[in-house]
Amino acid sequence: MTPIKPFITLGVESSCDETGIGLYHSEKGLIGHQLFSQVEIHSEYGGVVPELASRDHIQRALPLIKAVLADAHLTLRDISGIAYTAGPGLAGALLVGSAVAKSLAWSLKIPSLGVHHMEGHLLAPLLEKEVPSFPFVALLVSGGHTMLIDVKAIGEYEILGESLDDAVGEAFDKTAKILGLGYPGGPALAQLAQQGSPDAFKFPRPMIDRPGLDFSFSGLKTFARNTFAKHPGQKADIAKAFEVAATSTLMIKCRRALEQTKRTTLVVAGGVSANLSLRQELDAMGLKHGAQVFYPRQEFCTDNGAMIALAGHFRLSKGQSTASGEIAIQPRWSLEELEPV
Ligand code: KG4
Ligand code: ZN
């Protein structure tokens, strides 16, 4: 009997300020991944400069692909399909990943597929040993999105609520900037908050007194600015008050979404899911309400190529692909437009 050839997916992430490459094997799971973060390039400007991001993706993508393949003792010829982030994200940065993936796939005569970046985040917990089972509620919290989603199966997503203004990661970043913490702000703010007192200030929990599952975080940032103007010596206390207000708002809405959908599994992903206070709040809520809570490992909370390889793998291995020859990106793209697998 001839053994069935494994399906190996190469994943390319380039939607913002990280070039990520992943390699997913149909039987062995994730067999390699590498990341190049552009933090140093953008930090002197206090935020991501799109043109610099695109130029750096061009330099990093191919060497990273070569390194990931070499580490896995594989060559380009072993790849069965290539997945790349098609959106949402910065158009120039997305074009780089798309052009690299499409050209390689064309030359290797294999299929390629544009992946939705947020589907990558959403499925990242499936890279862990203990995986959530469908259906579940997902909280996606990144620099560009804050969403609660009812996930019936891969590709079957119903948005239950989202932010009406700033994404929660954006609010962390902007508040960090107000406190002079630089970029990227979220992790720096979380670190400073550890030294703050939870009793010094109480910030409002936005939108929790309104029905529904939408969010609003821009007011919290304004509250932080006004408090800082009055109490410039209490940076850590302000960071703490902001973090407590943001994370408990997220927890309250997750609890509401679980009640509303009658689901008992919660998946939390995206950059802000790395936040330890958020994890503590959600774990405590899950214990109290009989819900299991799943997260990706820390390094797969923020952008990475492994999640794009995984999300692409589910689709490519079932025969889905994007028309060949076309460099296709979708900088604005709703999760609800995706096809089921
Ligand atoms: O998912 P991600 O890497 O990129 C986007 O798709 O946006 O998320 C980045 C966001 C940034 O806003 C960053 O400040 C935030 O995630 N972040 C955190 C933490 N780590 C990353 N926010 C709060 N606490 C953290 N530990
Ligand atoms: Zn992301």
Side-chain angles (χ1 to χ4, degrees), residues 47-327:
V48 179
V49 183
E51 180 59 23
L52 295 184
S54 317
R55 287 187 210 173
D56 200 65
H57 286 306
I58 294 174
Q59 290 187 338
R60 305 288 168 191
L62 284 174
L64 272 181
I65 291 172
K66 278 188 190 155
V68 169
L69 284 170
D71 278 358
H73 306 290
L74 296 174
T75 70
L76 282 173
R77 301 265 155 225
D78 295 308
I79 303 171
S80 320
I82 307 183
Y84 63 92
T85 305
L90 302 170
L94 293 168
L95 275 173
V96 178
S98 172
V100 168
K102 284 284 181 184
S103 319
L104 270 181
W106 180 80
S107 68
L108 295 166
K109 299 187 175 54
I110 56 175
S112 62
L113 175 86
V115 167
H116 193 296
H117 180 79
M118 298 313 289
E119 180 173 63
H121 276 305
L122 194 154
L123 298 176
L126 301 182
L127 290 164
E128 303 308 317
K129 269 203 196 89
E130 263 189 67
V131 298
S133 43
F134 296 92
F136 54 75
V137 167
L139 171 71
L140 295 186
V141 275
S142 71
H145 295 85
T146 307
M147 291 193 280
L148 271 164
I149 298 161
D150 189 30
V151 179
K152 295 170 182 98
I154 297 175
E156 292 179 48
Y157 310 126
E158 182 191 338
I159 297 173
L160 302 169
E162 58 194 326
S163 183
L164 304 177
D165 41 54
D166 291 354
V168 66
E170 191 181 354
F172 264 90
D173 294 339
K174 287 180 176 170
T175 304
K177 209 167 194 173
I178 291 166
L179 298 177
L181 301 178
Y183 151 92
L189 188 138
Q191 212 182 346
L192 182 65
Q194 283 177 6
Q195 297 153 34
S197 158
D199 305 315
F201 302 109
K202 189 164 165 64
F203 282 21
R205 272 70 170 150
M207 311 263 299
I208 56 161
D209 48 354
R210 285 204 231 162
L213 296 169
D214 286 333
F215 303 91
S216 164
F217 287 105
S218 71
L220 217 45
K221 167 197 70 193
T222 311
F223 209 86
R225 182 181 291 121
N226 294 341
T227 312
F228 184 51
K230 279 192 220 136
H231 307 273
Q234 283 177 271
K235 279 189 188 184
D237 293 338
I238 295 168
K240 183 76 182 177
F242 170 86
E243 188 182 54
V244 169
T247 56
S248 53
T249 302
L250 291 170
M251 181 276 287
I252 291 164
K253 296 276 169 147
C254 283
R255 190 175 63 201
R256 210 179 271 177
L258 288 167
E259 280 164 6
Q260 189 177 306
T261 55
K262 306 211 164 41
R263 306 274 189 235
T264 53
T265 305
L266 176 69
V267 160
V268 190
V272 183
S273 68
N275 185 281
L276 296 179
S277 306
L278 176 64
R279 288 184 178 217
Q280 275 170 7
E281 286 242 25
L282 293 174
D283 287 343
M285 181 274 289
L287 260 172
K288 202 166 158 202
H289 294 269
Q292 260 192 303
V293 191
F294 293 84
Y295 313 88
R297 74 191 78 162
Q298 285 283 327
E299 66 176 321
F300 293 159
C301 288
T302 41
D303 292 349
N304 64 86
M307 67 183 195
I308 301 304
L310 174 78
H313 185 82
F314 286 124
R315 296 177 178 278
L316 282 162
S317 62
K318 296 267 160 51
Q320 290 188 17
S321 66
T322 310
S324 64
E326 185 189 320
I327 303 215

